[in-house]
């Protein structure tokens, strides 16, 4: 199953029957458009809620739920969504530059918000979710929907996908000028390209990786927080703590206490 660093509070073992996740890839031909599909089903006792904390990747998500389908842009802030009652959602986590074939709205105008997603196979997804072979049926119908869109990606989109993958995977890159040098462009060109295609700054590509990693580490036995700050490339713990609180709304110490 593909892993997600964006979901910051996976269900505890004793609550896994209440919130059940599945993630899977769509296969060859769609890898430059789609990172993976995520599916969640939940059945929460009446009167209770299960908050889901998500620090989204610098990318777009399509979310299909009973009654509506929407496209959401990257959100540079922690999103907390409460699950109540019993329902399901099917999401498609796209590669960063997918907006160019999904919407006419400039990516910067969808930061932290969403819009209707016409053309999404909502009815067919609902039927698949009610079947005994939901995953296979979703792979087939999402592939039919997204295949033609994947063929519309241009070279600029491919370049942005490569830039974002590099920023996410190479922990030695902690500054925008380092990222630009690795790609072989000026910082100004990199800034223009990423903002045009994704809507965020190149700096956020790096910051998102570090904060996702920090939140994941803080759920375990992380040891000294100053050592974690240094490992993530921050000048000192104070810089790390300020950056963390600005996005997640709490200090690293607070996250560690409740994890």
């Amino acid at each position: 199953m593909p892993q997600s660093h964006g979901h910051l509070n996976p269900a505890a073992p004793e609550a896994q029957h209440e919130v059940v996740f599945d993630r899977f890839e769509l296969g060859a031909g769609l890898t430059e458009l789609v990172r993976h599909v995520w599916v969640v089903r939940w059945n929460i006792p009446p009167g209770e809620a299960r908050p889901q904390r998500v620090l989204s990747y610098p990318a777009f998500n399509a979310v299909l739920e009973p009654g509506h389908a929407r496209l959401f842009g990257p959100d540079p802030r922690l999103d907390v969504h409460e699950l109540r009652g019993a329902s399901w959602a099917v999401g498609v986590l796209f590669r960063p530059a997918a907006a160019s074939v999904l919407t006419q709205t400039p990516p910067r105008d969808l930061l932290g918000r969403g819009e209707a997603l016409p053309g999404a196979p909502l009815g067919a997804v609902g039927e698949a979710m009610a079947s005994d072979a939901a995953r296979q049926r979703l792979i087939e119908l999402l592939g039919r929907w997204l295949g033609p869109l994947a063929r519309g990606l241009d070279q600029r989109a491919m370049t942005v996908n490569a830039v974002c993958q590099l920023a996410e995977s190479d922990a030695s890159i902690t500054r925008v000028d380092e990222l630009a040098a690795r790609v072989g462009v000026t910082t100004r060109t990199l800034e223009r390209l990423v903002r045009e295609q994704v809507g965020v700054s190149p700096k956020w590509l790096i910051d998102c990786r570090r904060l996702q990693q920090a939140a994941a580490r803080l759920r375990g036995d992380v040891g000294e927080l100053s050592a974690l700050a240094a490992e993530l490339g921050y000048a000192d713990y104070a810089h790390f703590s300020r950056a963390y609180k600005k996005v997640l709304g709490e200090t690293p110490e607070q996250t560690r206490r409740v994890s």
Side-chain angles (χ1 to χ4, degrees):
M1 179 189 299
Q3 297 298 307
S4 173
H5 298 293
H7 188 206
L8 302 186
N9 63 318
E14 64 273 14
Q16 287 182 353
H17 65 285
E18 296 179 351
V19 183
V20 179
F21 286 93
D22 187 20
R23 297 185 186 91
F24 51 87
E25 297 173 349
L26 290 182
L30 287 167
T31 55
E32 285 293 341
L33 179 67
V34 177
R35 182 171 181 141
H36 63 251
V37 176
W38 54 267
V39 178
V40 57
R41 300 176 188 263
W42 63 92
N43 190 352
I44 311 300
E48 298 184 20
R50 298 292 179 264
Q52 304 298 301
R53 292 158 48 88
V54 177
L55 181 56
S56 70
Y57 286 91
F60 281 69
N61 269 278
V63 180
L64 288 71
E65 301 178 275
H68 64 266
R70 294 180 65 79
L71 179 68
F72 292 92
D75 194 341
R77 292 289 187 272
L78 179 73
D79 175 62
V80 181
H81 181 72
E82 290 192 339
L83 301 181
R84 298 177 182 272
S87 194
W88 55 264
V90 173
V92 181
L93 176 59
F94 291 101
R95 295 292 178 184
S100 63
V101 297
L102 293 168
T103 179
Q104 296 297 312
T105 304
R108 65 178 178 276
D109 292 342
L110 284 174
L111 289 182
R113 58 181 293 268
E115 66 178 14
L117 185 58
L122 182 58
V125 165
E127 294 174 2
M129 291 297 291
S131 76
D132 294 330
R135 178 191 277 205
Q136 187 56 42
R137 292 189 62 179
L138 289 171
I139 289 173
E140 293 169 358
L141 70 92
L142 293 175
R144 288 196 298 269
W145 170 41
L146 297 171
L149 297 179
R151 292 190 286 273
L153 293 172
D154 60 18
Q155 187 56 50
R156 288 173 67 80
M158 302 291 192
T159 299
V160 169
N161 283 346
V163 167
C164 294
Q165 178 62 31
L166 182 61
E168 179 185 334
S169 62
D170 191 338
S172 71
I173 298 174
T174 59
R175 302 195 315 268
V176 173
D177 62 330
E178 294 172 339
L179 180 58
R182 288 287 299 276
V183 179
V185 299
T186 66
T187 55
R188 183 175 181 179
T189 296
L190 182 66
E191 180 85 22
R192 183 171 61 250
L193 182 65
V194 174
R195 285 194 180 276
E196 173 191 285
Q197 296 285 323
V198 191
V200 299
S201 69
K203 183 176 184 298
W204 176 242
L205 304 181
I206 299 168
D207 289 345
C208 183
R209 179 201 75 218
R210 295 197 289 181
L211 294 175
Q212 284 182 340
Q213 290 178 348
R217 293 283 298 280
L218 289 165
R219 291 199 300 267
D221 183 12
V222 70
E224 290 293 330
L225 294 181
S226 58
L228 176 61
E231 181 183 332
L232 294 172
Y234 290 94
D236 52 38
Y237 176 71
H239 283 83
F240 167 46
S241 184
R242 284 196 297 270
Y244 190 91
K245 185 174 182 180
K246 181 179 178 181
V247 173
L248 282 89
E250 62 190 22
T251 66
E253 293 100 326
Q254 290 171 318
T255 297
R256 182 163 66 170
R257 283 198 297 267
V258 301
S259 295

